[in-house]
Amino acid sequence: MLRIISNLRLLNSFPENMHNCQPVRWRRKPMWLPTAKSKVFRVPPRPQISEEEDNELKRLNNNYRTAMNSIRRYLTNRYSVKLQAKADTEQLKKAFEEDLARCKAINDEWNAELEKVRNERIAKQLEEDIKFAENRKLELLKREEEMLAQAEEIVRKEKELVGTFITPEMLDEAIENAINNPVDYNFAIDLEGNKILGRETTPVEKAQVKQ
Amino acid sequence: MLPPSSGIGQFAATSAKVIRFVRAGCTNRPFYHIVVAERRREQFEPVIEQVGSYDPMPNANNEKLVSLNLERISYWIGNGAGCSGPVEELLGLAGYFPIHPRSYMTAWRNRRKADEEAAAKEKADDSNEEKSETSSSV
């Protein structure tokens, strides 16, 4: 790895006029050369580990891992900054309670202020409501009076009319009167806008009424 | 130039850390720093912290010297750092971890090889003696 990095570094740091220089510090061939022809088909021998040795190594490794896990856990419990911060529950609880008390004080203050404002607002609202209700009551009374007056007026007019009603006793007389006095509602209008009453009247008679 | 061992490496809180060797010697003279680094970093990038050193060449008294900052190693392992294989072996030999299986394997293979060599040598010696005896008798 070191060799490769060094090669790269040398490559990058080569000045323009030093292309023909061959670095001799890392004597092995440069990384861009292929595998040597004599080594292309070489198969390196696999390590021969007997079954007995393999089993022994497995046993040792298992024991080692178990022991290391245990040591690591012990050291974590003893030295871990995070765990210590977490384990310090009393401190945390105290801090939490202090924070809570502070928050509560602020909240109480706000509540007191708001209560004052709210009471003012409610009192004002109540006053307005009472005023409104009184006004409504007055208006209602006034309207009732007006209605009553209107009704009285109607009754009075009807009473006035009562004298002109045709009663059964007066019926013959009324019929006679109607026959004796025929009323002609027809009329005509000439070019000047004069209204000429009556069906039979002629314009010469000059029954003119300027409108 | 190697970055300082004091540990100037930038690292993320949640990234995987590993305790491993950094080769700090020179040509034909290996020397290793045992460091905590982010696993995805390369060998010679700045490290998080150096926790020891290892000199694999025996000194005049035939000793391979190792220094370990066990407190920091405990701290880092407790906070989720892993160990590379060679470091695990070394810590096993130091008595901090259990002995690594590879250490056992190397040991018994070396022993077996030594035994075989000794047996071969004995055999050779015996055959030589027999030869000399036969030659003397003749």
Side-chain angles (χ1 to χ4, degrees):
Chain A
M1 192 65 201
L2 184 65
R3 196 175 67 241
I4 294 167
I5 291 165
S6 303
N7 273 340
L8 284 175
R9 276 185 194 153
L10 282 173
L11 269 183
N12 290 335
S13 62
F14 257 24
E16 289 275 322
N17 56 355
M18 281 184 74
H19 277 303
N20 297 325
C21 291
Q22 185 76 33
V24 293
R25 186 168 175 195
W26 311 101
R27 288 182 296 278
R28 300 281 302 276
K29 63 190 181 187
M31 62 186 290
W32 55 83
L33 288 186
T35 315
K37 274 184 183 173
S38 59
K39 305 288 183 193
V40 168
F41 300 110
R42 188 179 63 100
V43 180
R46 303 294 303 157
Q48 300 290 328
I49 298 172
S50 66
E51 202 182 334
E52 193 188 340
E53 195 176 358
D54 197 29
N55 287 339
E56 178 65 5
L57 277 176
K58 272 180 188 160
R59 185 185 69 80
L60 284 174
N61 271 305
N62 285 341
N63 288 350
Y64 183 74
R65 276 196 298 271
T66 311
M68 285 300 292
N69 282 343
S70 144
I71 290 170
R72 193 168 281 279
R73 199 170 301 130
Y74 169 75
L75 290 176
T76 305
N77 284 334
R78 175 114 186 245
Y79 291 102
S80 176
V81 175
K82 277 185 201 165
L83 273 187
Q84 278 171 2
K86 222 183 264 176
D88 207 352
T89 47
E90 254 183 41
Q91 187 80 20
L92 281 180
K93 203 176 170 190
K94 204 178 161 191
F96 173 76
E97 273 170 5
E98 275 176 15
D99 188 44
L100 187 69
R102 209 177 63 244
C103 289
K104 213 173 172 185
I106 294 170
N107 194 30
D108 287 347
E109 204 178 308
W110 283 356
N111 278 347
E113 274 178 31
L114 283 179
E115 197 181 5
K116 221 161 98 184
V117 174
R118 187 169 62 236
N119 286 342
E120 278 176 19
R121 179 170 57 76
I122 287 173
K124 204 176 160 189
Q125 184 79 39
L126 188 65
E127 212 172 290
E128 277 176 7
D129 282 355
I130 290 168
K131 219 174 181 178
F132 179 73
E134 278 175 356
N135 277 346
R136 267 189 77 180
K137 202 176 167 187
L138 284 178
E139 273 178 19
L140 197 68
L141 284 175
K142 206 172 158 189
R143 206 181 308 144
E144 273 179 6
E145 265 176 27
E146 277 174 11
M147 299 273 274
L148 203 63
Q150 279 176 13
E152 291 279 349
E153 181 69 18
I154 292 165
V155 169
R156 194 180 56 76
K157 280 182 182 170
E158 290 298 317
K159 271 183 182 169
E160 274 176 14
L161 284 177
V162 164
T164 63
F165 287 175
I166 298 167
T167 52
E169 294 90 50
M170 296 160 66
L171 191 58
D172 293 336
E173 203 179 322
I175 289 168
E176 214 164 290
N177 192 19
I179 290 168
N180 291 339
N181 300 301
V183 181
D184 190 3
Y185 293 104
N186 299 302
F187 67 91
I189 296 172
D190 66 2
L191 287 174
E192 288 157 359
N194 295 320
K195 195 175 178 183
I196 299 154
L197 292 169
R199 194 176 187 85
E200 304 300 325
T201 44
T202 54
V204 189
E205 285 177 335
K206 294 274 179 186
Q208 296 149 334
V209 180
K210 186 102 180 181
Q211 281 192 341
Chain B
M1 188 189 125
L2 280 175
S5 313
S6 52
I8 58 166
Q10 302 275 316
F11 63 100
T14 54
S15 67
K17 317 288 188 310
V18 68
I19 301 175
R20 65 186 179 194
F21 288 154
V22 170
R23 196 186 192 278
C26 51
T27 309
N28 297 327
R29 204 318 172 191
F31 185 85
Y32 297 103
H33 288 174
I34 301 170
V35 302
V36 181
E38 278 188 314
R39 196 162 60 193
R40 62 193 169 84
R41 301 270 185 193
E42 291 202 20
Q43 186 181 178
F44 296 113
E45 288 185 42
V47 299
I48 297 170
E49 187 177 341
Q50 184 182 358
V51 290
S53 65
Y54 171 48
D55 182 359
M57 292 188 87
N59 63 6
N61 300 322
N62 201 20
E63 294 162 341
K64 295 180 182 181
L65 295 182
V66 180
S67 67
L68 295 168
N69 187 348
L70 291 175
E71 280 179 21
R72 294 307 288 166
I73 291 175
S74 303
Y75 168 82
W76 279 109
I77 291 173
N79 281 290
C83 285
S84 72
V87 169
E88 278 180 344
E89 281 179 57
L90 195 63
L91 290 177
L93 293 174
Y96 182 70
F97 280 171
I99 302 282
H100 197 275
R102 201 182 295 137
S103 305
Y104 282 124
M105 192 182 74
T106 316
W108 79 55
R109 283 184 178 173
N110 285 346
R111 271 203 301 275
R112 193 186 298 159
K113 204 177 165 189
D115 285 351
E116 280 169 7
E117 276 176 4
K121 199 180 174 188
E122 207 171 297
K123 206 177 173 185
D125 287 351
D126 286 353
S127 62
N128 280 344
E129 277 175 21
E130 276 175 22
K131 257 185 194 173
S132 59
E133 278 173 16
T134 49
S135 60
S136 62
S137 64
V138 170

